Amino acid sequence: MIRELYRTITSLTAMNGFIPLWRRPIALIAVISTPFSFLFFIYLFGGPSKILIGAIGGVLFTIVNASTMLQTDLLFYKLDLKFQQVVASTPINPLAYMFGLATGNIVFTLPGLAIFMAIIVYESHIGTLQILSVIGTLATTWVIFSMFSFLVSTRVREMRDIWPISVMFSIIFGVVPPIYYSISALPGPVQYVAYVVPTTWAAILLKGIVIQDFAGVALPALVFVIEMLCVLAFTSRFSDWRLNRS
Amino acid sequence: MPVPLESKSLKKIYRNKGRSTTAINDFTFSVKEKGVFSLLGRNGSGKTTFVKVSTTQLTPDDGYVRVFGKDVVEDEKELRHMISLVPQESRPFPHMTPYEHVYYFQKMNGKAREESKERAESVIGLLGMHDFARTECVNLSGGQKQLTMVAMALSLDTQIYFLDEPTIGLDIITRKGVWNAINKYRDAGKTILLTTHYLDEAAFLSDEIGIVSHGNFIKQGTLDELRSGLEYDTRVAMRGRVDHRAFEPYGKVHSDERGTVLFTSQEYVEKILSDSSVRKERIEIGPIGLDDVFISLVGEDIEVDEN
Ligand SMILES: Nc1ncnc2c1ncn2[C@@H]1O[C@H](COP(=O)(O)OP(=O)(O)OP(=O)(O)O)[C@@H](O)[C@H]1O
Ligand SMILES: [Mg+2]
């Protein structure tokens, strides 16, 4: 059972990650360039002291953006290739399908993530435990947004609808949340949105871990995990990867 | 022993943005023996919808479909171990080769590396895909891509294969390769539900044929049974100018600019030949074909394209 699941996930990872990356390495540039341009501007306007926060933002944005863009891949496989129909008529588990493709998707971001992580570790001198906590936070972020993408993809009926939708989510999830600044800097109503978006909690958590404020991370960690569970429950309840409602 | 496929009073309505389309109004039929069953019908008659319901993609609005006794809704989990699908108009991943498609599809379904390799090699061989099995699909022709989808479906060891227009866009030699493969699976005791618009293909492959029209299942039988359901059994095609009134007493005459076709019975053939004002070498006589059956059942007054 576990072995079969492993095979399902790794083969989808190859199909959506290693194989296209191997044959089209140029795709890397697109994935890495946006967060690095953020880092560049932050360095430019904030100076060297801001480089840590820039790297934290970069690593988070990379994950959020890649997982949100997963919507496009999922839709392409579902609507254009009709591959999802082929898979949905086999015993393959929908979540295994989603995680396999999501893992493949993250393969493209690994070089960028590695560089950001190196900057974070170098700038903050954090130890193994914090490094693991950072990775754990990023992994949870990835799970949340990948599942959300899956949910969205099972609901959208037309390929052309997904471009505006994924760009919108990418902004709400990746740009609005206070990664580079404090939440109080946002205008009133936007603050409420920011408090709901998981990226905000991920950002607060990451900053807390890196500056070693362990008391300060307890609440955000709790909220974050609850959000993950909600998204999980929501996805299993409302995603419909067969064609009934799409 | 449950029958391979059974559909009873099946109804399926698509509801989109307030509009509803009844794709299947009433499909009641069963495939009683293993083998090849072809579903024929004009565009939009509900074939693909039926395939989607049968492969657990869509749920019926009324009635049921059972595959080897398993209900497509109640027993969906078990059913998915027994079915395999080529969706209509499906395409392979552009950046992967046909071989990789089959190999990873096997692994995805839980097979070990060695077994996946063997299955991939054998299906590629079966469908004669060696020449392009290791070329990225983005560089393949339409037919080669289509064959890749067929290869994936055939690589699964299931009891029934739903092939929705699997040979669309294939040249005649490649199509015959697919027919060969389908025949092999049939001989191995598998069931194949095929939809196609190539009537020669259906006639050649099918153990039984089902005809659907406007969401209704209207008739099923072997080719001979379908033929014998018609008033006539013989088709006389005449090229060139013909005085078609002369043939009216023998049956149904249909003329157009290419010539005249007379549907008649075997017993009149000699008379027609002796009476005929048409030169013998311009006459072709044969049993009525599936085309004629099809047109008489679903088409009456339509223009039928030569292709
Ligand atoms: N997703 C959908 N939403 C709404 N209506 C649909 C949808 N899919 C099919 N239909 C309608 O349902 C009917 C049956 O379609 P279906 O695809 O089952 O036909 P078909 O027999 O497979 O045709 P073809 O030979 O052209 O493939 C058609 O009238 C079609 O317009
Ligand atoms: Mg169809």
Side-chain angles (χ1 to χ4, degrees):
Chain A
M1 178 63 198
I2 297 293
R3 199 188 311 160
E4 269 92 34
L5 211 55
Y6 171 77
R7 287 174 184 151
T8 301
I9 292 176
T10 50
S11 45
L12 286 156
T13 303
M15 291 172 81
N16 197 38
F18 293 110
I19 297 175
L21 182 61
W22 180 250
R23 303 216 164 112
R24 307 271 181 288
I26 197 141
L28 270 180
I29 297 173
V31 180
I32 299 175
S33 55
T34 320
F36 273 97
S37 57
F38 287 165
L39 184 64
F40 175 71
F41 283 115
I42 283 172
Y43 180 82
L44 212 61
F45 295 108
S49 67
K50 289 283 191 257
I51 197 127
L52 179 59
I53 204 78
I56 292 176
V59 85
L60 199 53
F61 182 83
T62 305
I63 299 263
V64 172
N65 194 46
S67 320
T68 303
M69 288 305 164
L70 178 65
Q71 288 166 10
T72 320
D73 289 343
L74 288 166
L75 246 304
F76 179 63
Y77 302 153
K78 172 184 158 185
L79 296 177
D80 271 22
L81 304 188
K82 305 206 164 56
F83 180 67
Q84 194 168 308
Q85 282 189 42
V86 175
V87 178
S89 56
T90 69
I92 291 169
N93 178 299
L95 285 182
Y97 174 77
M98 188 279 288
F99 273 111
L101 293 178
T103 313
N105 192 52
I106 219 70
V107 165
F108 283 87
T109 66
L110 289 178
L113 292 182
I115 299 171
F116 284 125
M117 280 303 282
I119 298 175
I120 292 173
V121 174
Y122 179 81
E123 287 286 321
S124 65
H125 312 289
I126 52 174
T128 319
L129 187 63
Q130 285 108 300
I131 293 178
L132 290 177
S133 312
V134 168
I135 293 174
T137 308
L138 294 175
T140 311
T141 311
W142 169 71
V143 170
I144 290 177
F145 288 106
S146 299
M147 276 193 306
F148 183 77
S149 285
F150 184 60
L151 176 63
V152 171
S153 79
T154 68
R155 291 276 151 184
V156 175
R157 292 157 191 251
E158 279 181 52
M159 201 65 209
R160 61 178 175 196
D161 290 344
I162 198 60
W163 300 107
I165 291 176
S166 62
V167 168
M168 177 188 78
F169 282 129
S170 188
I171 290 171
I172 296 179
F173 296 151
V175 180
V176 170
I179 301 175
Y180 301 110
Y181 41 85
S182 140
I183 198 161
S184 54
L186 291 171
V190 183
Q191 281 189 25
Y192 294 110
V193 177
Y195 274 119
V196 179
V197 175
T199 322
T200 304
W201 299 100
I204 295 174
L205 255 178
L206 287 178
K207 288 182 203 169
I209 293 167
V210 170
I211 61 166
Q212 321 215 6
D213 170 15
F214 293 114
V217 299
L219 179 69
L222 187 68
V223 175
F224 198 46
V225 170
I226 289 173
E227 283 193 324
M228 180 180 81
L229 295 176
C230 288
V231 174
L232 233 175
F234 213 74
T235 306
S236 354
R237 174 70 185 80
F238 292 105
S239 68
D240 188 353
W241 87 316
R242 295 175 211 287
L243 302 166
N244 283 322
R245 266 154 269 155
S246 55
Chain B
M1 180 70 190
V3 300
L5 185 66
E6 187 190 2
S7 174
K8 180 88 194 292
S9 310
L10 179 69
K11 194 183 210 53
K12 180 68 207 177
I13 301 168
Y14 288 105
R15 296 184 178 82
N16 272 342
K17 297 174 183 148
R19 279 185 45 206
S20 60
T21 313
T22 304
I24 295 179
N25 178 51
D26 181 359
F27 271 24
T28 301
F29 73 104
S30 60
V31 179
K32 294 197 182 62
E33 305 282 337
K34 293 178 182 174
V36 180
F37 187 91
S38 296
L39 207 52
L40 306 182
R42 299 190 58 200
N43 298 126
S45 54
K47 303 178 297 294
T48 296
T49 307
F50 179 74
V51 168
K52 286 177 177 170
V53 172
S54 305
T55 54
T56 74
Q57 314 286 316
L58 292 174
T59 48
D61 285 296
D62 200 8
Y64 64 77
V65 177
R66 292 184 189 144
V67 179
F68 288 102
K70 305 286 179 221
D71 187 274
V72 293
V73 179
E74 257 126 60
D75 312 310
E76 54 169 358
K77 289 228 163 77
E78 278 167 86
L79 190 62
R80 285 183 200 122
H81 289 277
M82 301 159 54
I83 60 177
S84 177
L85 165 71
V86 177
Q88 182 176 9
E89 293 185 326
S90 50
R91 290 189 291 134
F93 285 57
H95 54 263
M96 281 171 54
T97 69
Y99 175 85
E100 287 166 342
H101 275 85
V102 183
Y103 173 78
Y104 285 110
F105 190 52
Q106 286 295 311
K107 269 193 86 186
M108 206 181 296
N109 279 284
K111 299 286 183 292
R113 181 194 305 238
E114 278 312 310
E115 193 180 347
S116 303
K117 275 189 190 167
E118 277 165 28
R119 283 302 283 186
E121 286 298 347
S122 90
V123 171
I124 298 272
L126 176 67
L127 293 171
M129 297 168 68
H130 279 302
D131 287 348
F132 57 90
R134 286 164 209 276
T135 306
E136 279 179 59
C137 287
V138 67
N139 297 326
L140 295 182
S141 77
Q144 292 166 330
K145 289 183 204 165
Q146 178 64 23
L147 219 46
T148 305
M149 301 312 293
V150 176
M152 273 206 291
L154 293 187
S155 76
L156 290 182
D157 183 18
T158 55
Q159 298 185 42
I160 184 165
Y161 297 79
F162 289 89
L163 311 180
D164 199 353
E165 300 195 23
T167 57
I168 190 147
L170 303 186
D171 68 61
I172 183 65
I173 296 163
T174 312
R175 269 168 73 202
K176 287 191 170 158
V178 174
W179 298 357
N180 231 341
I182 291 177
N183 268 331
K184 271 199 185 142
Y185 277 60
R186 187 240 313 270
D187 294 345
K190 308 290 190 185
T191 298
I192 293 106
L193 185 117
L194 177 77
T195 81
T196 180
H197 291 294
Y198 300 117
L199 298 180
D200 57 332
E201 174 169 304
F204 177 76
L205 282 174
S206 312
D207 295 301
E208 229 189 328
I209 292 167
I211 295 187
V212 296
S213 176
H214 298 292
N216 294 305
F217 190 93
I218 56 177
K219 201 157 191 153
Q220 90 182 85
T222 61
L223 183 53
D224 283 340
E225 286 164 354
L226 291 177
R227 273 195 196 122
S228 67
L230 294 194
E231 223 177 309
Y232 309 108
D233 58 18
T234 304
R235 179 184 212 279
V236 181
M238 293 163 270
R239 276 177 294 139
R241 270 170 175 276
V242 176
D243 172 19
H244 81 239
R245 272 166 309 171
F247 298 98
E248 268 163 11
Y250 301 117
K252 208 161 117 187
V253 192
H254 179 85
S255 288
D256 63 21
E257 66 275 14
R258 284 188 300 266
T260 297
V261 177
L262 165 67
F263 295 111
T264 183
S265 354
Q266 183 68 45
E267 51 188 297
Y268 295 130
V269 169
E270 256 178 55
K271 238 178 168 170
I272 293 166
L273 284 175
S274 58
D275 275 16
S276 171
S277 51
V278 184
R279 299 222 306 275
K280 302 277 178 295
E281 63 272 21
R282 296 192 155 221
I283 298 187
E284 242 173 62
I285 298 172
I288 58 169
L290 185 53
D291 311 32
D292 307 312
V293 175
F294 183 81
I295 293 168
S296 88
L297 286 172
V298 307
E300 304 289 289
D301 309 319
I302 49 154
E303 293 278 302
V304 180
D305 202 86
E306 273 283 86
N307 311 315

XYZ file of all heavy atoms in Angstrom, chain B residues 42-49 51 88 164-165 195 197, ligand 2:
107
model
N -24.511 9.301 -34.343
C -24.046 10.554 -34.920
C -23.421 11.448 -33.856
O -23.541 11.184 -32.664
C -25.221 11.272 -35.604
C -25.810 10.429 -36.743
C -26.776 11.224 -37.548
N -26.129 12.417 -38.090
C -26.789 13.486 -38.508
N -28.108 13.520 -38.430
N -26.139 14.519 -38.995
N -22.796 12.522 -34.272
C -22.179 13.453 -33.323
C -23.229 13.949 -32.346
O -24.339 14.289 -32.739
C -21.573 14.658 -34.054
C -20.459 14.255 -35.002
O -20.487 14.573 -36.169
N -19.501 13.531 -34.503
N -22.855 13.964 -31.089
C -23.769 14.481 -30.081
C -24.860 13.526 -29.658
O -25.811 13.920 -28.984
N -24.716 12.248 -30.017
C -25.802 11.317 -29.680
C -25.662 10.740 -28.276
O -26.564 10.046 -27.808
C -25.887 10.205 -30.719
O -24.637 9.586 -30.852
N -24.544 10.999 -27.610
C -24.415 10.577 -26.210
C -23.376 9.497 -25.942
O -23.274 8.998 -24.826
N -22.565 9.165 -26.932
C -21.584 8.077 -26.764
C -20.526 8.414 -25.713
O -20.260 7.626 -24.802
C -20.883 7.777 -28.098
C -21.827 7.425 -29.221
C -21.090 7.177 -30.522
C -20.326 8.379 -31.076
N -21.203 9.502 -31.494
N -19.931 9.596 -25.849
C -18.878 9.978 -24.904
C -19.451 10.121 -23.501
O -18.824 9.719 -22.516
C -18.220 11.294 -25.365
O -17.588 11.054 -26.613
C -17.192 11.791 -24.367
N -20.636 10.666 -23.415
C -21.278 10.783 -22.109
C -21.453 9.405 -21.486
O -21.193 9.213 -20.296
C -22.637 11.489 -22.259
O -22.440 12.719 -22.958
C -23.267 11.746 -20.907
N -19.600 6.786 -22.057
C -18.275 6.327 -21.634
C -17.881 6.987 -20.316
O -17.355 6.348 -19.409
C -17.217 6.620 -22.732
C -15.808 6.424 -22.208
C -17.460 5.732 -23.951
N -12.042 10.580 -25.342
C -12.078 11.222 -26.659
C -11.217 12.484 -26.619
O -11.221 13.225 -25.648
C -13.519 11.605 -27.015
C -13.622 12.227 -28.393
C -15.058 12.526 -28.795
O -15.978 12.419 -27.995
N -15.244 12.893 -30.051
N -12.743 5.527 -26.604
C -13.624 6.525 -27.216
C -12.922 7.121 -28.432
O -12.033 7.955 -28.297
C -13.969 7.604 -26.184
C -15.210 8.405 -26.577
O -15.710 8.213 -27.701
O -15.667 9.227 -25.750
N -13.309 6.678 -29.587
C -12.679 7.068 -30.859
C -11.160 6.909 -30.816
O -10.419 7.865 -31.096
C -13.074 8.507 -31.234
C -14.576 8.644 -31.393
C -14.981 9.923 -32.102
O -14.158 10.484 -32.836
O -16.135 10.338 -31.935
N -16.070 3.279 -29.405
C -16.904 4.174 -30.189
C -16.078 4.584 -31.397
O -14.859 4.724 -31.297
C -17.330 5.455 -29.447
O -16.253 6.388 -29.520
C -17.680 5.193 -28.002
N -16.410 6.455 -35.633
C -17.215 6.897 -36.770
C -16.783 6.181 -38.043
O -17.320 6.435 -39.113
C -17.101 8.418 -36.956
C -17.780 9.179 -35.851
N -19.141 9.154 -35.662
C -17.278 9.945 -34.855
C -19.449 9.891 -34.610
N -18.337 10.372 -34.094
Mg -17.854 11.519 -28.400
